[in-house]
Amino acid sequence: MTVLDGLRLAVSWLSVLPVPARRVDDRACRQAISFAPLVGALVGAFGTAALWALTALGSPPLLAGLLTVAVLVLVTRGMHVDGLADTVDGLGCYGPPERALSVMRDGGAGPFAVVALILVLGIQAASLAELANVPLTVVLACAVGRAGFVLCCRTGVPAARPEGMGALVAGSQPTWLVAAWWLALLAVAAVGFGWHAAIAVVLAAALLLALTWHTRRRFGGITGDVLGAASELATTTVLATTAVLATTAIA
């Protein structure tokens, strides 16, 4: 097995790109998590191209933002938004962890999920409308979102159940790798996009630390759905914070 097996699996798993995964085992899955931010940047490149093209064609900003969100959902097969919906439904239900996990496994979208999807996707679209003049922000936001996978799978964070994707990758990412990814993204944000983006990356990390603390308390650990939720929440945080702070600075 080579490192490229993990990279191929990451691209195959986290995007619609037709890259065959030669190996799908415990080690490859853990390596795939380590490469997730790179795939996030790749997904973000599709979003950047869409936002730039729509803006260049004279599309109204909000419409360009909505269509760019649609592109991002399509490129990821809707997997992350599905994880967000299931996680919110699980967190919103009453009862012991077993009931919450059962609700998440059910796959149906409850009222909490519907509201969460409207809010998150709406915030993303509105933020993208404000960031149309800096479309590369989408690359940063998506990379930070997938760095959420690495953070949520850090050493010491258990899986909520003994089967599923969460069980394969929970606790698999060493602290040094988590720190390396987030410090690198913080540096890219500060140097390439300014202090607004750097603050956004810090806020995204804080939000995901809170998410893993809460899901560990509520579910007993993480699941694959929690990883999807983490990705969407971190991406949204970067887009929204950057848009708000940039607009405030201009004003």
Side-chain angles (χ1 to χ4, degrees):
M1 174 172 176
T2 67
V3 172
L4 286 179
D5 290 324
L7 181 57
R8 289 190 189 96
L9 179 58
V11 175
S12 173
W13 172 36
L14 300 176
S15 77
V16 295
L17 296 178
V19 177
R22 295 181 180 177
R23 296 176 64 97
V24 183
D25 54 24
D26 292 6
R27 186 176 176 187
C29 287
R30 290 165 183 165
Q31 284 187 343
I33 293 292
S34 301
F35 286 117
L38 291 179
V39 181
L42 180 60
V43 169
F46 283 92
T48 291
L51 184 59
W52 177 84
L54 289 164
T55 301
L57 290 171
S59 174
L62 185 54
L63 177 59
L66 284 167
L67 291 176
T68 300
V69 169
V71 168
L72 294 175
V73 172
L74 288 172
V75 172
T76 57
R77 303 187 191 92
M79 181 170 60
H80 304 327
V81 292
D82 179 68
L84 172 66
D86 289 342
T87 299
V88 171
D89 271 345
L91 290 173
C93 77
Y94 292 102
E98 294 75 18
R99 171 166 169 69
L101 292 171
S102 176
V103 168
M104 293 168 68
R105 243 189 320 253
D106 179 68
F112 286 110
V114 172
V115 172
L117 289 175
I118 292 173
L119 285 174
V120 167
L121 298 180
I123 290 170
Q124 288 183 8
S127 301
L128 288 168
E130 294 296 327
L131 296 168
N133 60 328
V134 280
L136 280 173
T137 307
V138 185
V139 175
L140 175 67
C142 290
V144 171
R146 279 59 177 186
F149 284 28
V150 184
L151 183 60
C152 290
C153 293
R154 66 189 183 276
T155 301
V157 177
R161 49 182 175 238
E163 75 282 349
M165 179 56 69
L168 288 175
V169 299
S172 65
Q173 304 301 299
T175 303
W176 69 264
L177 182 62
V178 177
W181 268 122
W182 281 87
L183 288 174
L185 289 169
L186 180 61
V188 169
V191 174
F193 299 90
W195 63 272
H196 316 95
I199 291 175
V201 172
V202 172
L203 287 177
L207 178 63
L208 296 189
L209 288 173
L211 176 67
T212 51
W213 175 83
H214 188 48
T215 54
R216 185 172 183 175
R217 178 172 169 269
R218 184 69 182 89
F219 306 144
I222 64 165
T223 67
D225 286 329
V226 171
L227 297 183
S231 176
E232 288 300 321
L233 291 176
T235 299
T236 304
T237 299
V238 172
L239 291 175
T241 304
T242 304
V244 169
L245 292 180
T247 302
T248 303
I250 292 173

